[in-house]
């Protein structure tokens, strides 16, 4: 069974930094793209970033380019999201997601980590 | 690519059908010939759950009352007979090109 577990969320001041982690199990982590998707309170889903199997291909939504960095450690079955220069509008639940079925769709999701940016 | 869903909200009666439309601002046909359009369900307080991928392929374990149709820029999710557990918000998503984008969501309520 595929399992994804996010950690590292919390309260941070505007301009601050936070690093999210996602620990994966139940599948061959190094064989699959990994992504982050966020959801602001009471709002819809927004794709944030995706990373290919060996970490050489990274894609970001425009609103986080230059501030967020997605990375992975295949030896640790872990995905990361380093978030710098955080803004109030970054407040959201951040989900780790992957596509194991192979249809370029997010078939597996974690429970999410809440990031609150506020002074 | 902008994904537009209609309606925003859909009151339904258990046992009756429901339909959600999703339109993309440009064709979702990938250069490899596939169309990477998926549908997700999000129940209150839960992470999203994938229902349908590549327009019409139902994920294992998803009830067959859910079906997806469409092509190019116009897609539809149909629930043949709504059940109480189907309450939630439904999203379409395109993965044909980056940035990946979601529709704004359709709230299905009894």
């Amino acid at each position: 069974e595929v399992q994804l577990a996010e950690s590292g969320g919390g309260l941070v001041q505007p301009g601050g930094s936070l690093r999210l982690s996602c620990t994966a199990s139940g599948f061959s982590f190094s064989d699959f793209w990994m992504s982050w998707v966020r959801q602001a309170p009471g709002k819809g889903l927004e794709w944030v970033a995706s990373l290919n199997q060996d970490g050489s291909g990274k894609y970001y939504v425009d609103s986080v380019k230059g501030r967020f960095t997605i990375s992975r450690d295949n030896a640790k079955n872990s995905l990361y999201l380093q978030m710098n220069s955080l803004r109030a509008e970054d407040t959201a639940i951040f989900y780790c997601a992957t596509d194991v079925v192979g249809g370029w769709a997010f078939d597996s999701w974690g429970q999410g980590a809440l990031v609150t940016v506020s002074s | 690519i902008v994904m537009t869903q209609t309606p925003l909200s859909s009151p339904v009666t258990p046992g009756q059908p429901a339909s959600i439309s999703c339109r993309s601002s440009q064709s979702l046909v990938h250069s490899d010939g596939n169309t990477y359009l998926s549908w997700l369900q999000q129940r209150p307080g839960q992470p999203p759950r994938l229902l349908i991928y590549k327009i019409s392929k139902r994920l294992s374990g998803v009830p067959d009352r859910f079906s997806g149709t469409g092509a190019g820029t116009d897609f539809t999710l149909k629930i043949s007979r709504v059940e109480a557990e189907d309450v939630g918000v439904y999203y379409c998503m395109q993965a044909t090109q980056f940035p990946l984008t979601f529709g704004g969501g359709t709230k299905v309520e009894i």
Side-chain angles (χ1 to χ4, degrees), chain B residues 41 43-44 49 63 65-66 82-88 90 110:
Chain B
Q41 174 197 61
R43 292 170 172 149
R49 167 198 179 200
R65 64 180 182 274
F66 292 96
V82 173
E83 297 189 4
E85 67 180 21
D86 299 335
V87 165
Y90 291 76
I110 302 291

Side-chain angles (χ1 to χ4, degrees), chain A residues 33 37 39 43-47 50 59 95 101 103-107 109-111, chain B residues 36 38 40 42 46-50 53-54 59 91 93 95 98-100 102 104:
Chain A
W33 282 70
V37 175
Q39 187 169 35
K43 301 298 183 182
L45 300 171
E46 181 184 38
W47 169 77
S50 293
Y59 299 85
Y95 294 102
V101 170
W104 275 100
F106 296 136
D107 54 69
W109 296 72
Q111 288 298 309
Chain B
Y36 297 111
S38 58
L40 303 100
Q42 188 174 32
Q46 295 293 316
R49 167 198 179 200
L50 181 66
Y53 63 100
K54 289 203 282 188
L59 195 67
Y91 297 93
M93 189 197 89
F98 288 103
L100 310 186
F102 291 89

Side-chain angles (χ1 to χ4, degrees), chain A residues 36-77:
Chain A
W36 291 98
V37 175
R38 67 182 176 182
Q39 187 169 35
K43 301 298 183 182
L45 300 171
E46 181 184 38
W47 169 77
V48 175
S50 293
L51 181 64
N52 69 352
Q53 292 89 334
D54 64 7
S56 62
K58 304 180 182 184
Y59 299 85
Y60 301 93
V61 67
D62 281 351
S63 60
V64 309
K65 283 180 182 176
R67 300 189 300 123
F68 291 10
T69 301
I70 188 172
S71 63
R72 65 193 296 162
D73 185 336
N74 286 340
K76 295 183 178 180
N77 286 354

